[in-house]
């Protein structure tokens, strides 16, 4: 069965060039008051890290002043920052969490 091609492009679907979304790093910052155990709990709870990985990131925060916990789309990164900040506040810790474009 032969199909007849028309010279019109009106029926051809348009392909929009979509760019992948910008990604954002979620970062934890060291302070002198938040306990190491609390930072590990945050990493396990909000970033789905196992105990060993959480401990590695916690030590990086402690030794280097900050560490990236994950890279996410804007909405997810913003939500994680808000969740961590609220959780820290509820537990009386001054733990700072922020985000920056990757």
């Amino acid at each position: 069965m032969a199909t007849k091609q028309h010279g019109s492009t009106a029926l051809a679907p348009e392909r929009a060039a979509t760019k992948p979304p910008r990604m954002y790093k979620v970062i934890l910052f060291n302070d002198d008051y938040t306990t190491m155990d609390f930072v590990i709990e945050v990493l396990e709870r909000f970033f789905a890290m196992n105990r060993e990985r959480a401990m590695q990131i916690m030590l990086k925060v402690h030794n280097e002043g900050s560490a990236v916990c994950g890279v996410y789309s804007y909405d997810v990164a913003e939500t994680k920052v808000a969740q961590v900040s609220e959780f820290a506040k509820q537990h009386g810790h001054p733990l700072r969490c922020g985000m920056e474009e990757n």
Side-chain angles (χ1 to χ4, degrees):
M1 174 175 195
T3 57
K4 194 172 194 179
Q5 299 239 344
H6 297 281
S8 172
T9 58
L11 300 177
E14 291 187 28
R15 298 254 180 202
T18 57
K19 296 179 184 176
R22 287 189 272 191
M23 302 300 281
Y24 293 81
K25 297 183 275 191
V26 176
I27 303 166
L28 283 182
F29 297 95
N30 189 38
D31 63 71
D32 293 333
Y33 303 101
T34 304
T35 64
M36 292 178 175
D37 287 336
F38 185 77
V39 174
I40 290 170
E41 182 180 352
V42 165
L43 293 166
E44 290 174 337
R45 179 180 296 232
F46 296 103
F47 299 96
M49 292 184 189
N50 62 35
R51 173 74 69 181
E52 184 177 332
R53 182 70 179 139
M55 194 169 289
Q56 291 171 350
I57 297 297
M58 176 276 297
L59 287 172
K60 186 169 183 167
V61 170
H62 179 72
N63 293 322
E64 298 178 21
S66 67
V68 174
C69 304
V71 179
Y72 307 95
S73 65
Y74 181 84
D75 291 339
V76 174
E78 184 178 49
T79 299
K80 293 214 180 267
V81 169
Q83 288 174 328
V84 169
S85 298
E86 182 60 28
F87 188 70
K89 183 179 175 184
Q90 287 174 352
H91 289 83
H93 293 286
L95 181 63
R96 289 188 311 119
C97 185
M99 61 188 260
E100 66 181 42
E101 193 168 348
N102 192 21

XYZ file of all heavy atoms in Angstrom:
808
model
N 0.849 -1.160 0.000
C 0.000 0.000 0.000
C 0.895 1.223 0.000
O 1.691 1.421 0.887
C -0.876 -0.066 1.237
C -1.696 1.106 1.465
S -2.697 0.643 2.879
C -3.891 1.835 2.823
N 0.745 2.030 -0.968
C 1.558 3.230 -1.117
C 0.859 4.404 -0.456
O -0.357 4.514 -0.501
C 1.805 3.521 -2.594
N 1.654 5.273 0.151
C 1.073 6.480 0.729
C 1.547 7.655 -0.084
O 2.665 7.693 -0.560
C 1.508 6.667 2.195
O 2.918 6.705 2.256
C 0.983 5.547 3.061
N 0.668 8.578 -0.222
C 0.980 9.757 -1.018
C 1.449 10.858 -0.087
O 0.809 11.141 0.921
C -0.274 10.197 -1.772
C 0.004 11.175 -2.855
C -1.242 11.399 -3.673
C -0.881 12.112 -4.942
N -2.033 12.332 -5.769
N 2.577 11.427 -0.349
C 3.131 12.501 0.464
C 2.686 13.837 -0.100
O 2.683 14.039 -1.295
C 4.655 12.423 0.460
C 5.174 11.132 1.033
C 6.064 11.382 2.217
O 6.503 12.478 2.423
N 6.289 10.359 3.001
N 2.297 14.709 0.783
C 1.881 16.039 0.386
C 3.023 16.999 0.672
O 3.798 16.805 1.588
C 0.633 16.476 1.152
C -0.548 15.597 0.868
N -1.311 15.716 -0.267
C -1.093 14.571 1.575
C -2.267 14.821 -0.246
N -2.155 14.098 0.858
N 3.079 18.054 -0.071
C 4.120 19.049 0.117
C 3.892 19.920 1.338
O 4.750 20.680 1.735
N 2.773 19.804 1.985
C 2.443 20.642 3.126
C 3.087 20.088 4.404
O 3.118 18.896 4.634
C 0.924 20.685 3.300
O 0.619 21.346 4.502
N 3.571 20.994 5.229
C 4.144 20.584 6.512
C 3.167 20.857 7.644
O 3.510 20.700 8.804
C 5.468 21.333 6.785
O 5.201 22.728 6.765
C 6.526 20.963 5.785
N 1.960 21.257 7.316
C 0.975 21.585 8.339
C 0.603 20.358 9.173
O 0.237 20.480 10.325
C -0.270 22.171 7.705
N 0.694 19.171 8.591
C 0.326 17.969 9.314
C 1.493 17.343 10.075
O 1.290 16.440 10.875
C -0.261 16.943 8.351
C -1.513 17.391 7.604
C -1.948 16.311 6.619
C -2.627 17.685 8.586
N 2.688 17.793 9.809
C 3.866 17.226 10.476
C 3.937 17.750 11.911
O 3.776 18.940 12.147
C 5.133 17.606 9.719
N 4.149 16.873 12.859
C 4.256 17.337 14.246
C 5.531 18.158 14.451
O 6.576 17.855 13.888
C 4.307 16.034 15.063
C 4.794 15.003 14.104
C 4.323 15.437 12.744
N 5.392 19.199 15.223
C 6.557 20.039 15.483
C 7.336 19.463 16.643
O 6.771 18.983 17.615
C 6.111 21.464 15.818
C 5.522 22.179 14.630
C 5.246 23.642 14.963
O 5.938 24.197 15.813
O 4.316 24.178 14.351
N 8.628 19.522 16.538
C 9.505 19.040 17.606
C 10.140 20.251 18.264
O 10.958 20.937 17.668
C 10.599 18.141 17.050
C 10.079 16.907 16.389
C 10.332 15.744 17.273
N 9.828 14.548 16.633
C 9.524 13.486 17.302
N 9.682 13.466 18.591
N 9.058 12.432 16.693
N 9.727 20.517 19.462
C 10.295 21.643 20.198
C 11.598 21.178 20.844
O 11.677 20.100 21.417
C 9.326 22.118 21.267
N 12.606 21.989 20.714
C 13.889 21.666 21.339
C 13.790 22.009 22.815
O 13.714 23.171 23.184
C 15.005 22.450 20.664
N 13.735 20.982 23.652
C 13.642 21.227 25.087
C 14.997 21.011 25.733
O 15.719 20.084 25.396
C 12.614 20.293 25.755
O 12.980 18.951 25.485
C 11.212 20.558 25.237
N 15.292 21.895 26.642
C 16.550 21.791 27.370
C 16.276 21.062 28.680
O 15.196 21.184 29.251
C 17.095 23.184 27.692
C 17.451 23.996 26.480
C 17.958 25.360 26.909
C 18.232 26.233 25.699
N 18.622 27.583 26.087
N 17.256 20.325 29.163
C 17.052 19.710 30.476
C 16.951 20.806 31.538
O 17.517 21.891 31.376
C 18.310 18.857 30.674
C 19.312 19.384 29.716
C 18.548 20.027 28.594
N 16.241 20.542 32.624
C 16.093 21.581 33.651
C 17.435 21.889 34.308
O 18.315 21.022 34.384
C 15.129 20.952 34.652
C 15.258 19.488 34.443
C 15.588 19.300 32.994
N 17.570 23.116 34.775
C 18.775 23.470 35.523
C 18.772 22.696 36.825
O 17.727 22.485 37.432
C 18.814 24.970 35.795
C 19.144 25.766 34.540
C 19.383 27.181 34.892
N 18.077 27.843 34.852
C 17.913 29.150 34.905
N 18.935 29.947 35.036
N 16.711 29.663 34.851
N 19.954 22.313 37.251
C 20.082 21.523 38.465
C 20.750 22.365 39.554
O 21.537 23.263 39.263
C 20.897 20.257 38.189
C 20.283 19.378 37.092
S 18.618 18.807 37.469
C 19.005 17.465 38.571
N 20.407 22.031 40.800
C 20.884 22.804 41.943
C 21.484 21.874 42.995
O 20.925 20.821 43.295
C 19.733 23.601 42.558
C 19.256 24.680 41.625
C 18.380 24.386 40.584
C 19.705 25.988 41.749
C 17.965 25.369 39.702
C 19.296 26.970 40.876
C 18.427 26.653 39.855
O 18.025 27.623 38.975
N 22.621 22.294 43.540
C 23.283 21.544 44.604
C 22.662 21.944 45.942
O 22.474 23.133 46.199
C 24.782 21.869 44.651
C 25.528 21.465 43.411
C 27.007 21.749 43.552
C 27.277 23.192 43.177
N 28.701 23.503 43.028
N 22.360 20.966 46.771
C 21.916 21.226 48.137
C 23.147 21.042 49.020
O 23.823 20.014 48.955
C 20.779 20.279 48.556
C 20.399 20.507 50.010
C 19.567 20.496 47.652
N 23.430 22.062 49.824
C 24.669 22.110 50.593
C 24.368 22.257 52.084
O 23.516 23.066 52.466
C 25.530 23.306 50.121
C 25.802 23.189 48.628
C 26.822 23.405 50.918
C 26.342 24.454 48.000
N 25.076 21.490 52.904
C 25.037 21.663 54.357
C 26.282 22.421 54.780
O 27.376 22.186 54.244
C 25.017 20.312 55.080
C 23.713 19.549 55.116
C 23.886 18.261 55.924
C 22.592 20.377 55.697
N 26.128 23.326 55.756
C 27.233 24.151 56.238
C 27.550 23.800 57.693
O 26.647 23.578 58.505
C 26.871 25.637 56.127
C 26.654 26.069 54.710
C 25.374 26.089 54.168
C 27.716 26.436 53.907
C 25.159 26.480 52.862
C 27.516 26.824 52.587
C 26.230 26.848 52.065
N 28.820 23.791 58.012
C 29.275 23.471 59.360
C 28.946 24.601 60.324
O 28.885 25.770 59.949
C 30.785 23.239 59.343
C 31.297 22.684 60.652
O 30.645 21.868 61.287
N 32.466 23.127 61.064
N 28.709 24.221 61.582
C 28.590 25.197 62.662
C 29.180 24.552 63.907
O 29.522 23.375 63.901
C 27.133 25.639 62.880
C 26.235 24.499 63.306
O 26.377 24.042 64.457
O 25.396 24.063 62.496
N 29.315 25.314 64.953
C 29.957 24.820 66.170
C 28.984 24.179 67.156
O 29.401 23.785 68.249
C 30.699 25.963 66.875
C 31.882 26.459 66.064
O 32.437 25.666 65.276
O 32.245 27.645 66.217
N 27.718 24.084 66.827
C 26.719 23.636 67.789
C 25.965 22.372 67.387
O 25.578 21.598 68.248
C 25.718 24.765 68.069
C 26.415 26.005 68.565
C 26.665 27.065 67.704
C 26.868 26.097 69.875
C 27.332 28.199 68.154
C 27.543 27.218 70.325
C 27.770 28.274 69.459
O 28.443 29.380 69.897
N 25.720 22.179 66.110
C 24.963 21.006 65.659
C 25.817 19.753 65.831
O 26.969 19.727 65.417
C 24.549 21.159 64.182
O 23.805 22.372 64.038
C 23.688 19.998 63.722
N 25.238 18.736 66.439
C 25.998 17.515 66.691
C 26.205 16.715 65.402
O 25.404 16.797 64.463
C 25.277 16.613 67.715
O 24.034 16.181 67.147
C 25.037 17.353 69.021
N 27.263 15.940 65.398
C 27.555 15.089 64.244
C 26.444 14.062 64.044
O 26.060 13.772 62.915
C 28.906 14.403 64.423
C 30.073 15.342 64.381
S 31.607 14.433 64.648
C 32.796 15.746 64.388
N 25.916 13.529 65.149
C 24.827 12.544 65.055
C 23.581 13.143 64.407
O 22.895 12.477 63.629
C 24.469 11.996 66.437
C 25.521 11.035 66.966
O 26.262 10.450 66.153
O 25.598 10.872 68.204
N 23.295 14.419 64.711
C 22.130 15.060 64.113
C 22.330 15.237 62.606
O 21.404 15.020 61.820
C 21.846 16.414 64.769
C 20.576 17.051 64.267
C 19.344 16.609 64.711
C 20.631 18.072 63.331
C 18.170 17.176 64.234
C 19.463 18.649 62.846
C 18.231 18.198 63.302
N 23.530 15.623 62.192
C 23.826 15.783 60.755
C 23.665 14.441 60.043
O 23.077 14.376 58.954
C 25.235 16.374 60.532
C 25.587 16.399 59.054
C 25.322 17.774 61.124
N 24.149 13.374 60.651
C 23.981 12.035 60.062
C 22.505 11.703 59.927
O 22.060 11.199 58.889
C 24.731 10.977 60.904
C 26.238 11.166 60.747
C 24.314 9.562 60.496
C 27.082 10.344 61.693
N 21.718 11.992 60.948
C 20.275 11.734 60.891
C 19.615 12.514 59.744
O 18.788 11.978 59.009
C 19.609 12.110 62.216
C 18.130 11.830 62.226
C 17.443 12.196 63.538
O 18.128 12.543 64.512
O 16.201 12.136 63.560
N 19.998 13.777 59.576
C 19.460 14.599 58.484
C 19.802 13.981 57.129
O 18.948 13.874 56.242
C 20.007 16.046 58.578
C 19.780 16.811 57.279
C 19.359 16.776 59.746
N 21.038 13.567 56.967
C 21.475 12.988 55.687
C 20.746 11.676 55.387
O 20.369 11.423 54.240
C 22.989 12.789 55.693
C 23.797 14.088 55.715
C 25.257 13.815 56.053
C 23.672 14.827 54.392
N 20.531 10.879 56.408
C 19.806 9.624 56.204
C 18.328 9.875 55.913
O 17.747 9.275 55.013
C 19.927 8.738 57.454
C 21.313 8.176 57.666
C 21.460 7.430 58.983
O 20.683 7.688 59.934
O 22.359 6.586 59.053
N 17.729 10.791 56.643
C 16.293 11.041 56.541
C 15.904 11.787 55.263
O 14.956 11.413 54.581
C 15.825 11.850 57.747
C 14.340 12.177 57.733
C 13.955 12.970 58.947
N 14.149 12.173 60.147
C 13.212 11.990 61.064
N 12.033 12.546 60.933
N 13.459 11.264 62.123
N 16.618 12.856 54.934
C 16.202 13.721 53.829
C 16.934 13.464 52.520
O 16.486 13.911 51.469
C 16.347 15.186 54.232
C 15.447 15.565 55.368
C 15.953 15.705 56.649
C 14.098 15.743 55.170
C 15.128 16.035 57.714
C 13.252 16.066 56.227
C 13.772 16.209 57.500
N 18.059 12.749 52.580
C 18.834 12.506 51.368
C 19.017 11.019 51.083
O 19.804 10.642 50.223
C 20.186 13.230 51.454
C 20.024 14.712 51.586
C 20.050 15.322 52.830
C 19.803 15.504 50.472
C 19.881 16.696 52.963
C 19.618 16.873 50.594
C 19.663 17.465 51.839
N 18.293 10.181 51.835
C 18.257 8.728 51.612
C 19.652 8.105 51.546
O 19.909 7.225 50.733
C 17.461 8.408 50.347
N 20.547 8.571 52.401
C 21.899 8.017 52.438
C 21.950 6.891 53.464
O 21.271 6.933 54.488
C 22.915 9.090 52.834
C 23.084 10.158 51.806
S 24.381 11.306 52.300
C 24.155 12.561 51.064
N 22.796 5.903 53.178
C 23.035 4.882 54.191
C 23.985 5.459 55.239
O 24.548 6.533 55.058
C 23.580 3.587 53.566
C 24.917 3.782 52.877
O 25.771 4.573 53.306
N 25.124 3.052 51.798
N 24.144 4.772 56.335
C 24.933 5.276 57.466
C 26.374 5.619 57.058
O 26.897 6.665 57.421
C 24.914 4.243 58.593
C 25.809 4.515 59.766
C 25.364 5.581 60.686
N 24.198 5.260 61.464
C 23.679 6.130 62.312
N 24.226 7.299 62.495
N 22.601 5.847 62.983
N 26.994 4.762 56.279
C 28.389 4.986 55.876
C 28.534 6.248 55.020
O 29.407 7.078 55.257
C 28.917 3.770 55.111
C 30.387 3.885 54.752
C 30.906 2.642 54.055
O 30.379 1.542 54.284
O 31.850 2.795 53.260
N 27.665 6.408 54.031
C 27.720 7.591 53.152
C 27.398 8.853 53.948
O 28.046 9.886 53.768
C 26.751 7.434 51.983
C 26.776 8.582 51.013
C 28.071 8.598 50.219
N 28.053 9.707 49.282
C 29.094 10.482 49.022
N 30.258 10.239 49.584
N 28.986 11.481 48.191
N 26.416 8.768 54.838
C 26.061 9.922 55.672
C 27.237 10.340 56.547
O 27.498 11.534 56.718
C 24.839 9.596 56.519
N 27.967 9.366 57.068
C 29.118 9.669 57.906
C 30.220 10.357 57.088
O 30.841 11.312 57.550
C 29.652 8.402 58.566
C 30.610 8.675 59.705
S 30.977 7.211 60.661
C 29.418 6.972 61.482
N 30.437 9.901 55.859
C 31.440 10.524 54.985
C 31.091 11.984 54.700
O 31.952 12.866 54.780
C 31.550 9.764 53.659
C 32.161 8.396 53.770
C 32.040 7.597 52.479
O 31.330 7.984 51.543
N 32.733 6.471 52.421
N 29.826 12.244 54.376
C 29.404 13.611 54.078
C 29.472 14.474 55.330
O 29.922 15.618 55.293
C 27.978 13.630 53.472
C 27.957 12.880 52.136
C 27.475 15.057 53.294
C 28.814 13.481 51.044
N 29.050 13.928 56.475
C 29.119 14.668 57.738
C 30.556 15.074 58.043
O 30.829 16.210 58.440
C 28.553 13.820 58.880
C 28.650 14.437 60.264
S 30.239 14.184 61.108
C 30.298 12.426 61.271
N 31.510 14.168 57.838
C 32.912 14.490 58.098
C 33.428 15.550 57.128
O 34.233 16.411 57.505
C 33.771 13.222 58.026
C 33.603 12.277 59.221
C 34.330 10.959 58.964
C 34.091 12.936 60.501
N 32.958 15.512 55.899
C 33.345 16.545 54.940
C 32.809 17.903 55.377
O 33.519 18.910 55.311
C 32.850 16.184 53.538
C 33.346 17.128 52.478
C 33.079 16.623 51.091
C 33.686 17.622 50.122
N 33.768 17.138 48.773
N 31.560 17.945 55.832
C 30.985 19.191 56.346
C 31.834 19.686 57.519
O 32.212 20.861 57.583
C 29.514 18.996 56.791
C 28.997 20.209 57.552
C 28.622 18.695 55.597
N 32.161 18.784 58.432
C 32.918 19.133 59.634
C 34.332 19.626 59.303
O 34.782 20.635 59.841
C 32.987 17.913 60.556
C 33.757 18.142 61.802
N 33.276 18.925 62.833
C 34.976 17.700 62.202
C 34.180 18.961 63.805
N 35.213 18.223 63.447
N 35.005 18.928 58.414
C 36.409 19.247 58.113
C 36.606 20.362 57.097
O 37.576 21.099 57.168
C 37.148 17.994 57.641
C 37.287 16.963 58.732
O 37.499 17.295 59.897
N 37.135 15.703 58.373
N 35.679 20.479 56.150
C 35.852 21.443 55.063
C 34.898 22.635 55.147
O 34.996 23.555 54.346
C 35.710 20.741 53.719
C 36.768 19.664 53.509
C 36.615 18.927 52.200
O 35.970 19.456 51.270
O 37.147 17.807 52.101
N 33.955 22.590 56.073
C 33.044 23.711 56.241
C 31.718 23.577 55.524
O 30.747 24.236 55.877
N 31.664 22.735 54.511
C 30.411 22.497 53.795
C 30.577 21.268 52.923
O 31.697 20.832 52.651
C 30.007 23.697 52.937
O 30.932 23.875 51.887
N 29.451 20.729 52.465
C 29.473 19.587 51.549
C 28.161 19.532 50.793
O 27.107 19.925 51.304
C 29.688 18.284 52.308
N 28.238 19.038 49.575
C 27.054 18.855 48.743
C 26.375 17.552 49.158
O 27.021 16.507 49.253
C 27.439 18.808 47.248
C 26.239 18.472 46.380
C 28.063 20.128 46.822
N 25.080 17.633 49.401
C 24.295 16.465 49.816
C 23.597 15.805 48.642
O 23.190 14.652 48.731
C 23.238 16.876 50.826
S 23.920 17.699 52.246
N 23.409 16.545 47.570
C 22.733 16.020 46.395
C 22.507 17.116 45.380
O 22.662 18.300 45.682
N 22.159 16.719 44.161
C 21.885 17.655 43.075
C 20.487 17.338 42.542
O 20.195 16.191 42.199
C 22.945 17.530 41.953
C 22.649 18.495 40.817
C 24.350 17.768 42.515
N 19.655 18.379 42.498
C 18.236 18.190 42.182
C 17.730 19.328 41.293
O 18.361 20.370 41.182
C 17.403 18.185 43.473
C 17.890 17.205 44.505
C 18.758 17.609 45.518
C 17.492 15.878 44.468
C 19.215 16.704 46.471
C 17.941 14.964 45.416
C 18.800 15.388 46.409
O 19.248 14.499 47.348
N 16.533 19.125 40.756
C 15.865 20.219 40.048
C 15.535 21.307 41.081
O 15.577 21.063 42.293
C 14.575 19.720 39.387
O 13.652 19.319 40.380
N 15.205 22.495 40.616
C 14.988 23.632 41.509
C 13.945 23.329 42.587
O 14.187 23.565 43.775
C 14.571 24.865 40.704
C 14.350 26.073 41.581
C 15.423 26.871 41.958
C 13.080 26.389 42.062
C 15.235 27.970 42.788
C 12.886 27.477 42.892
C 13.969 28.267 43.246
O 13.785 29.349 44.075
N 12.796 22.825 42.178
C 11.707 22.582 43.139
C 12.091 21.565 44.202
O 11.793 21.739 45.385
C 10.442 22.120 42.418
C 9.808 23.217 41.588
O 10.081 24.405 41.867
O 9.039 22.900 40.667
N 12.756 20.498 43.792
C 13.157 19.468 44.747
C 14.228 20.017 45.693
O 14.155 19.818 46.908
C 13.653 18.204 44.019
C 14.217 17.184 45.001
C 12.531 17.578 43.200
N 15.207 20.742 45.150
C 16.261 21.324 45.987
C 15.675 22.306 46.992
O 16.025 22.280 48.183
C 17.308 22.015 45.110
N 14.775 23.153 46.540
C 14.138 24.132 47.422
C 13.359 23.442 48.547
O 13.426 23.860 49.712
C 13.206 25.012 46.591
C 12.564 26.134 47.357
C 11.688 27.001 46.464
O 10.853 26.454 45.712
O 11.866 28.223 46.526
N 12.674 22.366 48.218
C 11.919 21.605 49.211
C 12.852 20.971 50.232
O 12.588 21.017 51.443
C 11.058 20.530 48.527
O 10.135 21.172 47.642
C 10.302 19.684 49.539
N 13.950 20.389 49.770
C 14.903 19.755 50.691
C 15.507 20.784 51.641
O 15.637 20.522 52.841
C 15.981 19.012 49.920
C 15.421 17.807 49.177
C 16.381 16.683 49.124
C 15.799 15.504 48.393
N 15.154 14.552 49.280
N 15.871 21.957 51.131
C 16.421 23.019 51.976
C 15.402 23.408 53.050
O 15.747 23.533 54.229
C 16.844 24.245 51.137
C 17.159 25.437 52.023
C 18.043 23.899 50.265
N 14.159 23.584 52.650
C 13.109 23.965 53.604
C 12.886 22.869 54.641
O 12.747 23.158 55.839
C 11.808 24.259 52.856
N 12.861 21.616 54.207
C 12.638 20.509 55.136
C 13.767 20.398 56.161
O 13.524 20.239 57.356
C 12.525 19.181 54.370
C 11.243 19.035 53.597
C 11.231 17.775 52.748
O 12.261 17.316 52.260
N 10.045 17.209 52.556
N 15.008 20.476 55.687
C 16.165 20.372 56.586
C 16.181 21.543 57.560
O 16.395 21.364 58.760
C 17.480 20.289 55.787
C 18.693 20.457 56.692
C 17.561 18.974 55.016
N 15.947 22.747 57.053
C 15.960 23.936 57.915
C 14.890 23.853 58.991
O 15.145 24.165 60.161
C 15.767 25.197 57.072
O 16.835 25.329 56.151
N 13.693 23.424 58.624
C 12.601 23.297 59.587
C 12.887 22.197 60.608
O 12.655 22.372 61.803
C 11.278 23.023 58.867
C 10.073 22.917 59.779
C 9.795 24.173 60.590
O 10.143 25.286 60.139
O 9.237 24.045 61.702
N 13.410 21.071 60.159
C 13.741 19.961 61.045
C 14.814 20.388 62.057
O 14.704 20.092 63.247
C 14.221 18.770 60.213
C 14.423 17.506 60.984
C 13.348 16.790 61.492
C 15.703 16.994 61.176
C 13.540 15.604 62.195
C 15.910 15.814 61.876
C 14.822 15.111 62.383
N 15.833 21.091 61.585
C 16.894 21.568 62.478
C 16.327 22.545 63.505
O 16.643 22.465 64.698
C 18.011 22.217 61.662
N 15.484 23.451 63.048
C 14.874 24.438 63.946
C 14.027 23.751 65.015
O 14.091 24.109 66.196
C 14.031 25.410 63.124
C 13.406 26.522 63.921
C 12.610 27.439 63.006
C 11.869 28.491 63.804
N 11.025 29.331 62.934
N 13.236 22.763 64.611
C 12.381 22.028 65.546
C 13.195 21.330 66.630
O 12.714 21.135 67.738
C 11.542 20.982 64.812
C 10.420 21.551 63.990
C 9.722 20.464 63.173
O 10.162 19.317 63.112
N 8.629 20.846 62.517
N 14.420 20.930 66.289
C 15.264 20.209 67.230
C 16.313 21.102 67.893
O 17.237 20.614 68.547
C 15.922 19.018 66.528
C 14.941 17.930 66.210
N 14.148 17.951 65.088
C 14.596 16.815 66.895
C 13.370 16.892 65.085
N 13.616 16.180 66.174
N 16.189 22.414 67.704
C 17.062 23.369 68.377
C 18.484 23.433 67.864
O 19.398 23.805 68.604
N 18.675 23.091 66.597
C 20.008 23.143 65.997
C 20.080 24.288 64.978
O 19.141 24.504 64.219
C 20.344 21.829 65.296
C 20.503 20.674 66.231
N 21.603 20.514 67.033
C 19.684 19.617 66.490
C 21.462 19.412 67.740
N 20.304 18.849 67.441
N 21.219 24.979 64.928
C 21.374 26.073 63.964
C 21.915 25.599 62.594
O 22.465 26.392 61.838
C 22.388 26.986 64.651
C 23.254 26.052 65.434
C 22.315 24.954 65.903
N 21.743 24.328 62.272
C 22.263 23.768 61.029
C 21.744 24.570 59.838
O 20.552 24.770 59.679
C 21.838 22.309 60.895
C 22.320 21.562 59.647
C 23.845 21.468 59.636
C 21.690 20.180 59.588
N 22.670 25.016 59.006
C 22.299 25.773 57.801
C 22.368 24.882 56.583
O 23.290 24.088 56.424
C 23.229 26.971 57.599
C 23.003 28.076 58.611
C 23.790 29.340 58.309
N 25.201 29.092 58.027
C 25.805 29.383 56.869
N 25.137 29.951 55.883
N 27.085 29.122 56.697
N 21.395 25.042 55.722
C 21.305 24.287 54.487
C 20.963 25.285 53.382
O 20.120 26.171 53.574
C 20.206 23.222 54.608
S 20.063 22.120 53.216
N 21.633 25.180 52.258
C 21.371 26.108 51.158
C 21.455 25.401 49.830
O 21.698 24.196 49.756
N 21.230 26.175 48.787
C 21.301 25.610 47.433
C 21.964 26.602 46.496
O 21.911 27.810 46.721
C 19.920 25.230 46.930
C 18.928 26.351 46.821
S 17.265 25.771 46.452
C 17.199 26.086 44.693
N 22.629 26.074 45.478
C 23.226 26.914 44.437
C 23.182 26.163 43.120
O 23.170 24.928 43.087
C 24.653 27.323 44.795
C 25.652 26.208 44.857
C 27.037 26.689 45.246
O 27.181 27.528 46.147
O 27.993 26.194 44.636
N 23.162 26.923 42.054
C 23.070 26.295 40.738
C 24.307 25.467 40.467
O 25.420 25.854 40.805
C 22.891 27.363 39.644
C 22.482 26.770 38.324
C 22.016 27.813 37.321
O 21.800 28.957 37.714
O 21.883 27.438 36.157
N 24.091 24.316 39.887
C 25.176 23.381 39.614
C 25.986 23.823 38.408
O 25.525 24.303 37.454
C 24.595 21.979 39.368
C 25.645 20.913 39.367
O 26.732 21.089 39.902
N 25.313 19.795 38.790
